[in-house]
């Protein structure tokens, strides 16, 4: 197999758009070639590796067990079977759910693989006018509404990907809302012009599309959040159609089961996503590859987005604010009209924000607002 040069941009969820036939998920054909052939110390390796006591607690919930069973036995995924290298668990200081190494992993080792036919395709796009809300609407209409309405009652059709959808966040559980869920006053309290503008625009975009299509605003907003926060997008140059037609970039957004369980690290990710593409789709797959030595029991993390996203992108797209982000100072140095890169440009000082954060009564969106403002003010000091 050859390794594709397709660049990957991570957004963490995907929607399926069955209109794009050639890439439609669920066209489950035949047996694929084993991915163990790509790495002597990768999947199915006979090499014995030293194991240690886990530094995490495995997630043995019924939902996760069903997900793993489907991925291994129906989707032919590798690396997550009982004897595989990784598993879902809870660990770290916050006891967050993530993906952990069951054995020591070496640099360059492929640790998880999901075949192309076992992913859910969001869309194949060449039109830059397609919005986040449009993708959310597709996901809502084609998958979420049916899934939400169907139960496990006998006689109801159960799709192979339902166990995966059952493991996604709900709007009342494991949910980090992005600013477009906030009130306008809360959005404006972020103060940083670029994120204020983008959040208000996305909020209006969702509201207008919901009214136009006659769908519930809250449902469309949550579907859009899932799409934006959990999708993987691969960019590909379409085959040359001759001198009369310029080359076009085609964007393929996919939902890759299990991959969105990976948590983010801005400063020290130890793995990355790869697209391993062959001429035969059934033998092509998405993979997670170690970029650093990963000890047994260590959480496997990747960098979301473009892999160099600032706190602005992380909050806007994933609802995250990290204590440290090496890319904030560079973003602030670039400046621009939509940037505040001097402490005096803000309405409060860093000390004032940090003191308010120490109050136990500060919770929810207000806490996120203060954490975001503090993070960028610390980055200004780092410049």
């Amino acid at each position: 197999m050859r390794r594709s040069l397709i660049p990957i941009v991570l957004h963490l969820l995907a929607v399926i758009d069955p209109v794009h036939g050639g890439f439609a998920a669920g066209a489950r054909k035949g047996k694929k070639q084993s991915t163990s052939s790509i790495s002597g110390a990768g999947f199915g390796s006979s090499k014995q590796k030293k194991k240690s006591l886990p530094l995490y607690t495995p997630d043995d919930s019924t939902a996760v067990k069903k997900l793993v069973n489907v991925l291994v036995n129906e989707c032919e995924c590798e690396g997550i079977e009982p004897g595989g290298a990784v598993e879902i668990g809870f660990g770290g200081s916050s006891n967050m759910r993530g993906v952990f190494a069951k054995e020591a992993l070496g640099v360059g080792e492929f640790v998880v693989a999901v075949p192309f036919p076992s992913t859910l395709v969001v869309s194949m796009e060449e039109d830059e006018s397609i919005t986040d809300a449009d993708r959310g609407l597709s996901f809502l209409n084609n998958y979420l509404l049916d899934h939400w309405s169907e139960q496990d009652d006998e006689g109801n059709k159960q799709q192979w990907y339902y166990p995966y959808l059952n493991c996604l966040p709900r709007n009342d559980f494991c949910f980090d809302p992005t600013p477009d869920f906030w009130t306008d006053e809360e959005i404006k309290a972020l103060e940083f012009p670029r994120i204020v503008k983008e959040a208000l625009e996305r909020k209006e975009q969702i509201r207008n599309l919901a009214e136009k299509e006659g769908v519930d605003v809250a449902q469309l907003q949550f579907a859009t959040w899932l799409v934006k926060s959990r999708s993987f997008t691969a960019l590909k140059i379409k085959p040359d159609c001759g001198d009369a037609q310029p080359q076009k970039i085609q964007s393929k957004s996919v939902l890759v089961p299990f991959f969105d369980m990976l948590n983010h690290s801005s400063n020290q990710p130890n793995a990355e996503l790869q697209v391993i593409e062959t001429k035969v789709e059934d033998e092509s797959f998405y993979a997670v590859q170690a970029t650093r030595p990963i000890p047994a029991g260590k959480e496997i993390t990747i960098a979301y987005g473009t892999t160099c996203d600032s706190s602005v992108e992380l909050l806007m797209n994933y609802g995250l604010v990290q204590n440290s982000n090496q890319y904030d100072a560079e973003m602030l140095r670039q400046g621009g009209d939509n940037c505040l890169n001097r402490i005096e440009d803000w309405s409060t000082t860093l000390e004032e924000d940090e003191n308010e954060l120490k109050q136990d009564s500060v919770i929810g969106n207000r806490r996120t607002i203060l954490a975001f403002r503090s993070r960028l003010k610390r980055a200004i000091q780092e410049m």
Side-chain angles (χ1 to χ4, degrees), residues 353-370:
D353 286 347
E354 290 182 334
N355 286 338
E356 187 176 348
L357 266 174
K358 294 176 182 177
Q359 301 175 20
D360 293 337
S361 59
V362 177
I363 59 175
N365 297 340
R366 181 60 183 174
R367 191 164 197 84
T368 303
I369 291 166
L370 293 169

Side-chain angles (χ1 to χ4, degrees), residues 27-133:
R28 318 184 59 72
K29 313 168 191 173
K31 295 287 287 185
K32 66 175 180 64
Q33 177 179 332
S34 173
T35 54
S36 61
S37 62
I38 66 173
S39 173
F43 309 111
S45 170
S46 59
K47 180 180 177 181
Q48 295 298 313
K49 296 194 176 183
K50 185 177 180 180
K51 297 189 178 183
S52 61
L53 293 176
L55 304 176
Y56 61 94
T57 302
D59 186 342
D60 60 357
S61 64
T62 300
V64 166
K65 288 180 178 178
K66 288 183 177 180
L67 170 63
V68 172
N69 180 65
V70 166
L71 295 181
V72 171
N73 296 316
E74 295 187 34
C75 298
E76 300 175 341
C77 301
E78 297 191 41
I80 60 175
E81 63 275 9
V86 301
E87 66 181 339
I88 299 169
F90 298 91
S93 58
S94 59
N95 203 35
M96 288 179 58
R97 186 165 73 173
V99 177
F100 296 83
K102 291 161 52 177
E103 59 186 41
L105 303 169
V107 175
E109 188 165 351
F110 289 86
V111 295
V112 181
V114 177
F116 274 23
S118 298
T119 63
L120 309 184
V121 175
V122 182
S123 58
M124 289 297 300
E125 301 169 13
E126 298 172 15
D127 184 357
E128 295 182 357
S129 67
I130 295 177
T131 66
D132 296 329

Side-chain angles (χ1 to χ4, degrees), residues 89-277:
F90 298 91
S93 58
S94 59
N95 203 35
M96 288 179 58
R97 186 165 73 173
V99 177
F100 296 83
K102 291 161 52 177
E103 59 186 41
L105 303 169
V107 175
E109 188 165 351
F110 289 86
V111 295
V112 181
V114 177
F116 274 23
S118 298
T119 63
L120 309 184
V121 175
V122 182
S123 58
M124 289 297 300
E125 301 169 13
E126 298 172 15
D127 184 357
E128 295 182 357
S129 67
I130 295 177
T131 66
D132 296 329
D134 291 327
R135 300 182 191 98
L137 180 66
S138 175
F139 184 53
L140 178 68
N141 285 337
N142 292 321
Y143 297 93
L144 282 183
L145 290 179
D146 286 343
H147 176 59
W148 288 340
S149 64
E150 290 187 13
Q151 305 298 321
D152 291 334
D153 296 339
E154 185 176 354
N156 281 344
K157 181 179 180 181
Q158 297 295 303
Q159 301 290 346
W160 69 267
Y161 50 83
Y162 278 9
Y164 173 66
L165 297 184
N166 287 335
C167 287
L168 293 176
R170 304 192 306 264
N171 57 6
D172 60 350
F173 180 70
C174 293
F175 174 50
D176 296 313
T178 45
D180 52 286
F181 282 83
W182 303 356
T183 66
D184 289 358
E185 291 71 22
E186 289 173 326
I187 293 173
K188 292 174 182 177
L190 289 168
E191 297 191 16
F192 199 80
R194 178 153 63 90
I195 195 170
V196 170
K197 179 176 181 290
E198 290 178 4
L200 291 174
E201 286 178 350
R202 185 187 295 172
K203 188 175 178 180
E204 182 179 13
Q205 179 188 102
I206 293 170
R207 184 170 57 245
N208 291 342
L209 185 60
E211 181 178 355
K212 175 183 175 183
E213 299 295 331
V215 299
D216 182 83
V217 174
Q219 289 183 339
L220 177 58
Q221 187 171 40
F222 185 66
T224 302
W225 176 82
L226 285 172
V227 169
K228 191 63 181 176
S229 66
R230 309 182 80 82
S231 66
F232 301 85
T233 303
L235 306 179
K236 186 175 183 179
I237 298 177
K238 287 193 66 179
D240 191 359
C241 298
D243 295 337
Q245 295 292 332
Q247 286 186 326
K248 293 184 178 180
I249 299 297
Q250 195 171 51
S251 172
K252 176 184 177 182
S253 297
V254 295
L255 182 151
V256 184
F258 196 90
F259 280 26
D260 67 338
M261 299 287 185
L262 294 161
N263 286 320
H264 169 80
S265 174
S266 292
N267 297 340
Q268 291 188 318
N270 53 25
E272 65 184 7
L273 304 182
Q274 294 284 354
V275 177
I276 310 299
E277 188 174 26

Side-chain angles (χ1 to χ4, degrees), residues 67 79 154 286 292 349:
L67 170 63
E154 185 176 354
Y286 297 93
R292 303 169 182 254
T349 65

